[in-house]
Protein backbone atom coordinates (compact mmCIF):
# COMPACT_ATOMS: atom_id res chain seq x y z
CA UNK A 1 0.00 0.00 0.00
CA UNK A 2 1.32 3.46 -0.94
CA UNK A 3 0.40 6.09 1.64
CA UNK A 4 -0.48 9.49 0.23
CA UNK A 5 -1.60 12.73 1.87
CA UNK A 6 -5.33 13.48 1.71
CA UNK A 7 -6.62 14.83 -1.58
CA UNK A 8 -5.93 18.55 -1.69
CA UNK A 9 -3.14 18.42 0.91
CA UNK A 10 0.58 18.51 0.26
CA UNK A 11 3.86 18.23 2.11
CA UNK A 12 6.64 20.81 2.19
CA UNK A 13 10.13 19.32 2.06
CA UNK A 14 13.17 21.16 3.50
CA UNK A 15 13.94 23.18 0.36
CA UNK A 16 10.27 24.19 0.04
CA UNK A 17 10.32 25.27 3.68
CA UNK A 18 13.58 27.22 3.25
CA UNK A 19 12.06 29.13 0.33
CA UNK A 20 8.83 29.78 2.22
CA UNK A 21 10.77 31.08 5.23
CA UNK A 22 12.84 33.31 2.91
CA UNK A 23 9.60 34.98 1.80
CA UNK A 24 8.04 35.17 5.27
CA UNK A 25 11.11 36.67 6.94
CA UNK A 26 11.33 39.48 4.44
CA UNK A 27 7.65 40.26 4.83
CA UNK A 28 7.91 40.18 8.62
CA UNK A 29 10.82 42.64 8.50
CA UNK A 30 8.59 45.08 6.62
CA UNK A 31 5.72 44.54 9.06
CA UNK A 32 8.06 45.25 11.98
CA UNK A 33 9.38 48.43 10.33
CA UNK A 34 5.81 49.72 10.09
CA UNK A 35 5.12 49.00 13.77
CA UNK A 36 2.97 45.87 13.39
CA UNK A 37 2.97 43.08 15.97
CA UNK A 38 2.29 39.42 15.39
CA UNK A 39 -0.97 37.79 16.44
CA UNK A 40 -1.71 34.04 16.45
CA UNK A 41 -5.30 32.84 16.44
CA UNK A 42 -6.79 29.38 16.71
CA UNK A 43 -6.81 27.19 13.61
CA UNK A 44 -10.21 25.88 14.75
CA UNK A 45 -13.17 28.21 15.13
CA UNK A 46 -16.80 27.67 15.99
CA UNK A 47 -18.95 27.70 12.88
CA UNK A 48 -21.19 30.42 14.27
CA UNK A 49 -18.07 32.56 14.78
CA UNK A 50 -16.85 32.06 11.23
CA UNK A 51 -20.27 32.74 9.73
CA UNK A 52 -21.32 35.64 11.95
CA UNK A 53 -23.30 38.09 9.89
CA UNK A 54 -22.50 36.24 6.69
CA UNK A 55 -18.85 37.29 6.80
CA UNK A 56 -17.73 33.83 5.67
CA UNK A 57 -19.78 31.57 3.43
CA UNK A 58 -20.47 28.02 4.78
CA UNK A 59 -19.49 26.48 1.45
CA UNK A 60 -15.88 27.61 1.91
CA UNK A 61 -15.44 26.04 5.37
CA UNK A 62 -14.04 22.56 6.05
CA UNK A 63 -16.34 21.53 8.90
CA UNK A 64 -15.66 19.29 11.91
CA UNK A 65 -17.48 18.27 15.05
CA UNK A 66 -16.14 18.06 18.60
CA UNK A 67 -17.08 15.48 21.23
CA UNK A 68 -20.18 17.51 22.16
CA UNK A 69 -21.32 17.66 18.51
CA UNK A 70 -20.71 21.38 18.34
CA UNK A 71 -19.96 22.60 14.83
CA UNK A 72 -16.35 23.59 14.26
CA UNK A 73 -14.51 24.76 11.17
CA UNK A 74 -10.96 25.23 9.98
CA UNK A 75 -10.42 28.94 9.39
CA UNK A 76 -10.76 29.84 5.68
CA UNK A 77 -9.05 33.19 6.27
CA UNK A 78 -7.62 35.19 9.19
CA UNK A 79 -9.54 38.48 9.26
CA UNK A 80 -12.69 37.09 10.90
CA UNK A 81 -10.62 35.20 13.50
CA UNK A 82 -8.60 38.31 14.35
CA UNK A 83 -11.76 40.42 14.54
CA UNK A 84 -13.26 37.88 16.96
CA UNK A 85 -10.10 37.84 19.10
CA UNK A 86 -9.85 41.64 19.31
CA UNK A 87 -13.58 42.26 19.80
CA UNK A 88 -13.65 39.89 22.78
CA UNK A 89 -10.88 41.94 24.45
CA UNK A 90 -11.86 45.38 23.24
CA UNK A 91 -12.21 46.81 26.74
CA UNK A 92 -8.76 45.60 27.78
CA UNK A 93 -6.74 47.01 24.90
CA UNK A 94 -4.37 49.80 25.95
CA UNK A 95 -4.95 51.99 22.91
CA UNK A 96 -6.10 52.26 19.33
CA UNK A 97 -5.20 51.65 16.60
CA UNK A 98 -4.06 48.04 16.82
CA UNK A 99 -1.45 47.14 14.20
CA UNK A 100 -1.35 43.36 13.82
CA UNK A 101 0.27 40.92 11.41
CA UNK A 102 0.10 37.17 10.90
CA UNK A 103 1.78 34.37 9.01
CA UNK A 104 -0.33 31.23 9.05
CA UNK A 105 -2.12 28.50 7.14
CA UNK A 106 -5.77 28.65 6.15
CA UNK A 107 -8.12 25.98 4.85
CA UNK A 108 -10.67 26.51 2.12
CA UNK A 109 -12.72 24.25 -0.07
CA UNK A 110 -14.10 25.12 -3.46
CA UNK A 111 -16.65 23.38 -5.62
CA UNK A 112 -17.63 19.87 -4.55
CA UNK A 113 -16.85 18.46 -8.01
CA UNK A 114 -13.32 19.89 -8.08
CA UNK A 115 -11.47 16.70 -7.14
CA UNK A 116 -7.91 17.17 -5.91
CA UNK A 117 -8.40 20.89 -5.32
CA UNK A 118 -5.93 22.53 -2.97
CA UNK A 119 -7.41 22.82 0.52
CA UNK A 120 -4.56 24.30 2.56
CA UNK A 121 -2.98 27.66 1.81
CA UNK A 122 -0.37 29.88 3.45
CA UNK A 123 -0.87 33.58 3.98
CA UNK A 124 0.97 36.52 5.50
CA UNK A 125 -0.86 39.76 6.12
CA UNK A 126 -1.81 42.66 8.34
CA UNK A 127 -4.87 44.15 10.00
CA UNK A 128 -5.07 47.81 11.03
CA UNK A 129 -7.90 48.04 13.56
CA UNK A 130 -9.39 51.18 15.09
CA UNK A 131 -8.36 53.51 12.27
CA UNK A 132 -10.64 54.71 9.50
CA UNK A 133 -10.38 57.19 6.70
CA UNK A 134 -7.95 58.27 4.02
CA UNK A 135 -4.74 58.04 6.05
CA UNK A 136 -5.37 54.48 7.23
CA UNK A 137 -6.30 53.38 3.71
CA UNK A 138 -3.09 54.95 2.43
CA UNK A 139 -0.95 53.27 5.10
CA UNK A 140 -2.20 49.83 4.13
CA UNK A 141 -1.66 50.38 0.40
CA UNK A 142 1.80 51.85 0.98
CA UNK A 143 2.66 48.94 3.26
CA UNK A 144 1.47 46.45 0.63
CA UNK A 145 3.67 48.14 -1.94
CA UNK A 146 6.68 48.02 0.43
CA UNK A 147 6.14 44.29 0.91
CA UNK A 148 6.15 43.63 -2.83
CA UNK A 149 9.19 45.84 -3.42
CA UNK A 150 11.09 44.04 -0.65
CA UNK A 151 10.52 40.81 -2.56
CA UNK A 152 11.69 42.44 -5.79
CA UNK A 153 8.20 42.49 -7.32
CA UNK A 154 8.31 46.05 -8.58
CA UNK A 155 6.11 45.37 -11.60
CA UNK A 156 3.03 44.19 -9.71
CA UNK A 157 -0.15 46.05 -10.64
CA UNK A 158 -2.48 47.42 -7.97
CA UNK A 159 -6.20 47.24 -8.74
CA UNK A 160 -8.46 49.25 -6.41
CA UNK A 161 -12.23 49.23 -6.07
CA UNK A 162 -14.80 50.57 -3.60
CA UNK A 163 -17.21 47.97 -2.23
CA UNK A 164 -19.67 50.41 -0.68
CA UNK A 165 -19.84 52.59 -3.80
CA UNK A 166 -20.23 49.61 -6.12
CA UNK A 167 -23.04 48.18 -3.99
CA UNK A 168 -24.75 51.56 -3.95
CA UNK A 169 -24.48 51.97 -7.73
CA UNK A 170 -26.25 48.61 -8.10
CA UNK A 171 -29.20 49.68 -5.93
CA UNK A 172 -31.48 50.76 -8.86
CA UNK A 173 -31.62 47.17 -10.12
CA UNK A 174 -34.50 44.96 -8.92
CA UNK A 175 -33.47 42.76 -6.00
CA UNK A 176 -33.91 39.51 -7.96
CA UNK A 177 -31.64 40.79 -10.78
CA UNK A 178 -29.12 42.74 -8.70
CA UNK A 179 -26.95 39.77 -7.72
CA UNK A 180 -26.94 38.51 -11.32
CA UNK A 181 -25.73 41.91 -12.50
CA UNK A 182 -23.13 42.03 -9.75
CA UNK A 183 -21.87 38.52 -10.58
CA UNK A 184 -21.68 39.21 -14.32
CA UNK A 185 -19.74 42.43 -13.74
CA UNK A 186 -17.39 40.78 -11.24
CA UNK A 187 -16.68 37.91 -13.68
CA UNK A 188 -16.25 40.27 -16.66
CA UNK A 189 -19.12 38.40 -18.35
CA UNK A 190 -20.42 40.95 -20.82
CA UNK A 191 -22.45 38.39 -22.80
CA UNK A 192 -24.14 37.18 -19.62
CA UNK A 193 -24.86 40.76 -18.63
CA UNK A 194 -26.43 41.59 -21.99
CA UNK A 195 -28.63 38.49 -21.80
CA UNK A 196 -30.29 39.50 -18.50
CA UNK A 197 -33.94 40.53 -18.55
CA UNK A 198 -33.53 44.27 -17.94
CA UNK A 199 -35.17 47.40 -19.21
CA UNK A 200 -33.22 49.34 -21.81
CA UNK A 201 -32.39 51.99 -19.20
CA UNK A 202 -31.09 49.44 -16.67
CA UNK A 203 -29.19 47.52 -19.36
CA UNK A 204 -27.45 50.74 -20.36
CA UNK A 205 -26.58 51.39 -16.70
CA UNK A 206 -25.29 47.81 -16.25
CA UNK A 207 -23.01 48.12 -19.29
CA UNK A 208 -21.82 51.52 -18.06
CA UNK A 209 -20.87 49.97 -14.70
CA UNK A 210 -19.24 47.05 -16.50
CA UNK A 211 -16.77 49.42 -18.17
CA UNK A 212 -15.88 51.38 -15.01
CA UNK A 213 -12.25 50.30 -14.91
CA UNK A 214 -9.08 51.93 -16.09
CA UNK A 215 -6.97 54.97 -15.21
CA UNK A 216 -8.25 56.40 -11.89
CA UNK A 217 -8.83 59.92 -13.24
CA UNK A 218 -10.79 58.55 -16.22
CA UNK A 219 -13.00 56.27 -14.11
CA UNK A 220 -13.67 58.99 -11.53
CA UNK A 221 -14.64 61.39 -14.29
CA UNK A 222 -17.02 58.82 -15.78
CA UNK A 223 -18.75 57.92 -12.53
CA UNK A 224 -19.11 61.62 -11.63
CA UNK A 225 -21.41 61.97 -14.65
CA UNK A 226 -24.04 59.85 -12.90
CA UNK A 227 -26.79 61.33 -10.74
CA UNK A 228 -25.06 60.58 -7.43
CA UNK A 229 -26.49 60.86 -3.94
CA UNK A 230 -24.49 62.34 -1.05
CA UNK A 231 -22.99 58.96 -0.02
CA UNK A 232 -21.86 58.21 -3.56
CA UNK A 233 -20.39 61.69 -4.04
CA UNK A 234 -18.47 61.34 -0.80
CA UNK A 235 -17.13 57.92 -1.86
CA UNK A 236 -16.00 59.35 -5.20
CA UNK A 237 -14.30 62.30 -3.47
CA UNK A 238 -12.58 59.91 -1.04
CA UNK A 239 -11.25 57.84 -3.94
CA UNK A 240 -9.98 60.99 -5.64
CA UNK A 241 -8.20 62.09 -2.45
CA UNK A 242 -6.72 58.62 -1.99
CA UNK A 243 -5.33 58.57 -5.54
CA UNK A 244 -3.82 62.03 -5.07
CA UNK A 245 -2.16 61.09 -1.79
CA UNK A 246 -0.73 57.85 -3.19
CA UNK A 247 0.61 59.73 -6.22
CA UNK A 248 2.36 62.25 -3.94
CA UNK A 249 3.83 59.46 -1.81
CA UNK A 250 5.22 57.66 -4.86
CA UNK A 251 6.12 60.61 -7.11
CA UNK A 252 9.83 60.42 -6.15
CA UNK A 253 9.97 56.62 -6.23
CA UNK A 254 12.27 54.98 -8.77
CA UNK A 255 9.46 52.57 -9.66
CA UNK A 256 6.03 54.11 -10.21
CA UNK A 257 3.32 51.61 -9.23
CA UNK A 258 0.64 50.91 -11.81
CA UNK A 259 -2.82 51.63 -10.38
CA UNK A 260 -6.10 50.62 -11.99
CA UNK A 261 -9.38 51.82 -10.54
CA UNK A 262 -11.97 49.06 -11.01
CA UNK A 263 -15.43 49.65 -9.58
CA UNK A 264 -16.46 46.12 -10.61
CA UNK A 265 -13.94 44.60 -8.21
CA UNK A 266 -15.67 42.24 -5.77
CA UNK A 267 -13.80 40.28 -3.11
CA UNK A 268 -14.45 36.67 -2.08
CA UNK A 269 -15.56 37.49 1.47
CA UNK A 270 -18.60 39.70 1.68
CA UNK A 271 -17.73 41.90 4.67
CA UNK A 272 -16.01 44.79 2.91
CA UNK A 273 -17.48 48.28 3.27
CA UNK A 274 -14.91 50.58 1.65
CA UNK A 275 -11.92 50.24 -0.62
CA UNK A 276 -11.02 46.77 -1.85
CA UNK A 277 -7.87 45.92 -3.77
CA UNK A 278 -5.74 43.18 -5.30
CA UNK A 279 -2.09 43.06 -6.33
CA UNK A 280 -1.48 41.18 -9.58
CA UNK A 281 1.71 40.08 -11.31
CA UNK A 282 1.87 38.97 -14.94
CA UNK A 283 3.78 35.73 -15.51
CA UNK A 284 4.41 33.42 -18.45
CA UNK A 285 1.48 31.28 -17.29
CA UNK A 286 -0.86 34.26 -16.87
CA UNK A 287 -1.76 36.76 -14.18
CA UNK A 288 -1.34 35.71 -10.55
CA UNK A 289 -3.05 37.40 -7.62
CA UNK A 290 -0.27 38.07 -5.10
CA UNK A 291 -2.47 39.62 -2.44
CA UNK A 292 -5.86 41.12 -1.69
CA UNK A 293 -7.61 43.11 1.00
CA UNK A 294 -9.96 45.91 1.86
CA UNK A 295 -11.81 47.94 4.46
CA UNK A 296 -14.35 46.32 6.81
CA UNK A 297 -15.81 48.83 9.25
CA UNK A 298 -18.65 46.68 10.63
CA UNK A 299 -16.91 43.34 11.18
CA UNK A 300 -15.71 43.81 14.77
CA UNK A 301 -19.24 44.72 15.82
CA UNK A 302 -20.45 41.27 14.75
CA UNK A 303 -18.32 39.71 17.49
CA UNK A 304 -18.71 42.26 20.29
CA UNK A 305 -21.38 41.38 22.92
CA UNK A 306 -22.93 44.87 22.69
CA UNK A 307 -22.28 45.30 18.97
CA UNK A 308 -19.56 47.87 19.57
CA UNK A 309 -17.40 48.20 16.49
CA UNK A 310 -14.19 49.78 15.33
CA UNK A 311 -13.09 50.41 11.75
CA UNK A 312 -10.64 48.00 10.17
CA UNK A 313 -8.62 47.46 7.03
CA UNK A 314 -6.03 44.89 6.04
CA UNK A 315 -4.59 42.62 3.38
CA UNK A 316 -3.29 39.10 2.96
CA UNK A 317 -0.45 38.00 0.68
CA UNK A 318 -0.71 34.59 -0.98
CA UNK A 319 2.52 32.80 -0.10
CA UNK A 320 2.08 30.09 -2.76
CA UNK A 321 1.64 32.62 -5.56
CA UNK A 322 4.56 34.68 -4.31
CA UNK A 323 6.62 31.49 -4.24
CA UNK A 324 5.75 30.56 -7.82
CA UNK A 325 6.48 34.03 -9.19
CA UNK A 326 9.79 34.35 -7.32
CA UNK A 327 10.80 30.80 -8.25
CA UNK A 328 10.34 31.61 -11.93
CA UNK A 329 12.65 34.59 -11.52
CA UNK A 330 15.39 32.68 -9.72
CA UNK A 331 15.04 34.83 -6.58
CA UNK A 332 14.66 32.03 -4.03
CA UNK A 333 17.34 29.87 -2.37
CA UNK A 334 18.35 26.90 -4.55
CA UNK A 335 19.34 24.69 -1.61
CA UNK A 336 18.85 24.40 2.12
CA UNK A 337 21.36 26.24 4.33
CA UNK A 338 24.62 24.34 4.71
CA UNK A 339 26.12 23.37 8.06
CA UNK A 340 29.30 25.18 9.00
CA UNK A 341 30.90 22.18 10.73
CA UNK A 342 31.04 18.41 10.43
CA UNK A 343 32.39 16.74 13.59
CA UNK A 344 33.88 13.28 13.06
CA UNK A 345 34.85 10.75 15.73
CA UNK A 346 38.09 9.11 14.60
CA UNK A 347 37.26 5.91 16.50
CA UNK A 348 34.08 4.42 17.96
CA UNK A 349 35.39 5.23 21.42
CA UNK A 350 35.62 8.94 20.51
CA UNK A 351 31.88 9.53 19.93
CA UNK A 352 31.25 10.95 23.40
CA UNK A 353 34.07 13.43 22.85
CA UNK A 354 32.74 14.23 19.34
CA UNK A 355 29.24 15.00 20.65
CA UNK A 356 30.79 17.13 23.41
CA UNK A 357 32.86 19.10 20.91
CA UNK A 358 29.81 19.63 18.66
CA UNK A 359 27.88 20.94 21.66
CA UNK A 360 30.74 23.31 22.42
CA UNK A 361 30.60 24.71 18.89
CA UNK A 362 26.80 25.15 19.05
CA UNK A 363 27.11 27.05 22.33
CA UNK A 364 29.72 29.46 20.96
CA UNK A 365 27.07 32.13 20.43
CA UNK A 366 27.51 32.27 16.65
CA UNK A 367 24.40 30.15 15.86
CA UNK A 368 26.49 27.62 13.99
CA UNK A 369 24.99 24.61 12.26
CA UNK A 370 26.97 21.59 13.42
CA UNK A 371 26.53 18.00 12.23
CA UNK A 372 28.04 14.88 13.76
CA UNK A 373 29.11 12.14 11.35
CA UNK A 374 27.20 9.04 12.47
CA UNK A 375 29.41 6.43 10.85
CA UNK A 376 27.58 6.07 7.53
CA UNK A 377 30.71 6.77 5.47
CA UNK A 378 33.59 4.30 5.54
CA UNK A 379 36.66 6.33 4.61
CA UNK A 380 37.97 9.85 5.29
CA UNK A 381 37.66 10.65 1.59
CA UNK A 382 33.97 9.62 1.64
CA UNK A 383 33.49 12.02 4.55
CA UNK A 384 35.26 14.85 2.72
CA UNK A 385 33.18 14.19 -0.40
CA UNK A 386 29.98 14.38 1.68
CA UNK A 387 31.12 17.70 3.18
CA UNK A 388 31.85 19.14 -0.26
CA UNK A 389 28.47 18.07 -1.65
CA UNK A 390 26.66 19.58 1.32
CA UNK A 391 28.68 22.81 1.29
CA UNK A 392 30.16 22.20 4.76
CA UNK A 393 33.22 24.36 5.22
CA UNK A 394 35.09 22.68 8.09
CA UNK A 395 35.62 19.21 9.50
CA UNK A 396 36.72 18.62 13.09
CA UNK A 397 38.37 15.19 13.48
CA UNK A 398 38.07 14.25 17.18
CA UNK A 399 40.23 11.67 18.94
CA UNK A 400 39.34 9.77 22.10
CA UNK A 401 40.81 12.54 24.26
CA UNK A 402 38.55 15.15 22.67
CA UNK A 403 41.37 16.87 20.82
CA UNK A 404 40.22 18.35 17.49
CA UNK A 405 42.08 18.35 14.22
CA UNK A 406 40.55 21.06 12.03
CA UNK A 407 40.42 20.65 8.26
CA UNK A 408 39.19 23.29 5.83
CA UNK A 409 37.16 21.87 2.96
CA UNK A 410 37.69 23.58 -0.40
Amino acid sequence: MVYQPPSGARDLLPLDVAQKIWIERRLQQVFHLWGYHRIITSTLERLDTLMAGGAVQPSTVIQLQDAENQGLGLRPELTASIARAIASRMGKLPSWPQRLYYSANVFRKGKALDHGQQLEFYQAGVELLGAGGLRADSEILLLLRDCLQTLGLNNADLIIGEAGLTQSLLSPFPAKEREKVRTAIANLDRIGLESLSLSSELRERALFLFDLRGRPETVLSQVSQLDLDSFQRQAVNNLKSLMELLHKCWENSEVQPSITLDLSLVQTFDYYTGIVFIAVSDTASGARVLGQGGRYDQLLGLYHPQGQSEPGIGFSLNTENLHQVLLGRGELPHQTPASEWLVVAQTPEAYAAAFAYASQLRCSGDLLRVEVELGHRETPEDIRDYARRRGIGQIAWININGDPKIEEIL
Side-chain angles (χ1 to χ4, degrees):
M1 178 178 180
V2 178
Y3 291 95
Q4 300 288 345
S7 178
R10 65 189 183 96
D11 303 310
L12 298 180
L13 297 179
L15 180 57
D16 300 318
V17 174
Q19 293 171 342
K20 178 173 174 288
I21 290 175
W22 187 93
I23 295 170
E24 290 177 343
R25 283 180 176 170
R26 279 157 179 77
L27 293 176
Q28 289 176 15
Q29 287 173 359
V30 180
F31 299 156
H32 289 165
L33 290 172
W34 280 76
Y36 284 70
H37 301 273
R38 187 167 187 177
I39 185 172
I40 299 176
T41 62
S42 173
T43 305
L44 278 175
E45 292 279 6
R46 296 182 184 275
L47 286 178
D48 55 2
T49 297
L50 290 176
M51 300 174 191
V56 174
Q57 296 301 314
S59 60
T60 67
V61 179
I62 298 176
Q63 299 185 22
L64 307 169
Q65 284 188 329
D66 63 12
E68 300 176 354
N69 286 328
Q70 292 183 331
L72 303 175
L74 300 176
R75 61 190 178 202
E77 50 93 67
L78 270 296
T79 301
S81 294
I82 293 173
R84 186 264 308 151
I86 295 300
S88 64
R89 296 168 174 80
M90 197 174 286
K92 300 178 181 178
L93 296 175
S95 62
W96 296 97
Q98 289 287 306
R99 290 181 168 89
L100 308 171
Y101 83 86
Y102 58 85
S103 182
N105 56 348
V106 297
F107 302 85
R108 195 178 308 144
K109 65 179 181 179
K111 298 179 181 178
L113 298 179
D114 189 4
H115 181 72
Q117 62 179 314
Q118 186 174 345
L119 300 177
E120 183 177 11
F121 305 83
Y122 291 90
Q123 294 182 345
V126 300
E127 308 294 348
L128 174 57
L129 305 178
L134 171 66
R135 297 181 185 90
D137 291 352
S138 299
E139 172 168 322
I140 287 296
L141 292 171
L142 292 168
L143 173 52
L144 173 61
R145 189 65 192 179
D146 271 10
C147 288
L148 296 174
Q149 287 183 333
T150 295
L151 297 175
L153 299 173
N154 296 319
N155 64 338
D157 297 326
L158 189 59
I159 302 173
I160 300 175
E162 222 289 355
L165 176 59
T166 299
Q167 191 66 27
S168 177
L169 292 175
L170 290 170
S171 60
F173 294 90
K176 64 179 181 179
E177 299 294 336
R178 189 178 306 147
E179 187 58 31
K180 296 178 183 178
V181 173
R182 179 177 181 266
T183 300
I185 292 175
N187 293 327
L188 303 181
D189 182 7
R190 190 182 189 93
I191 295 176
L193 191 63
E194 292 175 337
S195 67
L196 294 177
S197 179
L198 299 171
S199 67
S200 58
E201 181 181 356
L202 287 178
R203 178 172 288 104
E204 181 179 350
R205 182 182 181 88
L207 293 173
F208 178 84
L209 296 178
F210 183 91
D211 292 326
L212 278 179
R213 66 175 62 82
R215 293 173 58 87
E217 57 270 27
T218 301
V219 173
L220 290 172
S221 175
Q222 290 174 328
V223 76
S224 296
Q225 298 172 14
L226 296 174
D227 183 17
L228 303 177
D229 60 28
S230 58
F231 168 81
Q232 294 165 342
R233 284 195 300 271
Q234 185 62 53
V236 169
N237 290 335
N238 289 343
L239 281 174
K240 182 178 179 181
S241 297
L242 176 63
M243 297 302 137
E244 291 173 350
L245 180 54
L246 292 176
H247 177 72
K248 289 180 181 178
C249 289
W250 284 325
E251 62 184 354
N252 296 321
S253 174
E254 294 182 2
V255 180
Q256 290 289 335
S258 170
I259 298 180
T260 298
L261 186 58
D262 183 355
L263 295 184
S264 69
L265 182 60
V266 177
Q267 292 287 43
T268 304
F269 298 107
D270 195 22
Y271 47 56
Y272 291 105
T273 58
I275 66 163
V276 290
F277 50 88
I278 59 175
V280 180
S281 179
D282 285 328
T283 67
S285 59
R288 284 185 179 270
V289 176
L290 305 179
Q292 58 278 312
R295 172 162 292 284
Y296 48 89
D297 285 348
Q298 308 302 322
L299 186 59
L300 268 69
L302 299 178
Y303 300 107
H304 192 273
Q306 285 78 45
Q308 179 183 342
S309 193
E310 289 284 344
I313 184 172
F315 66 78
S316 64
L317 289 161
N318 307 323
T319 305
E320 279 92 355
N321 284 353
L322 291 172
H323 180 268
Q324 290 301 314
V325 171
L326 292 169
L327 195 62
R329 299 183 179 190
E331 300 281 349
L332 297 175
H334 299 294
Q335 59 187 19
T336 55
S339 297
E340 286 82 10
W341 286 89
L342 178 62
V343 177
V344 183
Q346 293 181 304
T347 64
E349 293 77 19
Y351 268 102
F355 279 115
Y357 188 80
S359 180
Q360 180 182 335
L361 289 173
R362 296 185 189 109
C363 295
S364 65
D366 295 327
L367 298 178
L368 298 174
R369 294 176 183 266
V370 182
E371 297 182 26
V372 174
E373 167 59 40
L374 301 177
H376 295 159
R377 279 153 280 277
E378 296 182 357
T379 68
E381 193 51 44
D382 289 338
I383 293 173
R384 294 186 182 97
D385 182 62
Y386 169 78
R388 291 189 191 97
R389 286 186 287 106
R390 294 297 297 269
I392 300 173
Q394 299 179 94
I395 297 178
W397 304 90
I398 307 298
N399 64 24
I400 193 172
N401 297 320
D403 301 322
K405 178 183 177 182
I406 309 301
E407 179 179 351
E408 301 283 342
I409 300 298
L410 302 178

